[in-house]
Amino acid sequence: MGEISAARFKAGQRVRVKDARPERIARLHLRTPHYVRGRMGTVTRALGTFPNPEDIAFNRPAEPRVLYHVLFDQPPVWNEGEAGDTLLIELFEHWLEEA
């Protein structure tokens, strides 16, 4: 695991997952679930810096990226569940933007 000192986002910070669909342009390996793209969540912590799996999958040089735990309220994601139900997902920094 690499350093987290370069982490752009801090625990407790609200973020939005980019609503991008790069797989429509080119063949890609994406680790960001469709169901959270465009959604708001809260960073719970930075997990460290890891090689970008989107590049590793195609045997390309993999730039190190910071990985985060991001917490989402479940009801808005799947239109089901109760208040207080949550979903925790690992997301790489290049998929996140300030909310």
Side-chain angles (χ1 to χ4, degrees):
M1 178 167 81
E3 295 295 319
I4 60 170
S5 60
R8 177 179 167 196
F9 303 106
K10 306 295 181 211
Q13 187 172 353
R14 297 283 290 164
V15 293
R16 181 185 324 275
V17 181
K18 291 180 182 175
D19 193 12
R21 302 279 191 255
E23 67 276 12
R24 291 182 178 169
I25 299 167
R27 187 171 157 237
L28 298 170
H29 169 76
L30 299 178
R31 303 277 303 192
T32 302
H34 286 277
Y35 53 83
V36 294
R37 294 183 196 175
R39 304 275 183 186
M40 303 256 302
T42 303
V43 171
T44 61
R45 70 183 186 127
L47 300 171
T49 303
F50 301 90
N52 183 4
E54 296 172 3
D55 292 323
I56 291 172
F58 290 93
N59 200 28
R60 296 186 298 238
E63 180 181 334
R65 309 277 180 138
V66 178
L67 183 66
Y68 298 88
H69 269 165
V70 180
L71 188 68
F72 298 87
D73 292 328
Q74 179 183 316
V77 174
W78 289 314
N79 295 319
E80 64 179 34
E82 299 179 19
D85 290 346
T86 59
L87 173 66
L88 184 67
I89 298 181
E90 293 177 352
L91 295 165
F92 280 92
E93 187 171 87
H94 65 283
W95 274 94
L96 302 174
E97 56 193 13
E98 291 183 24

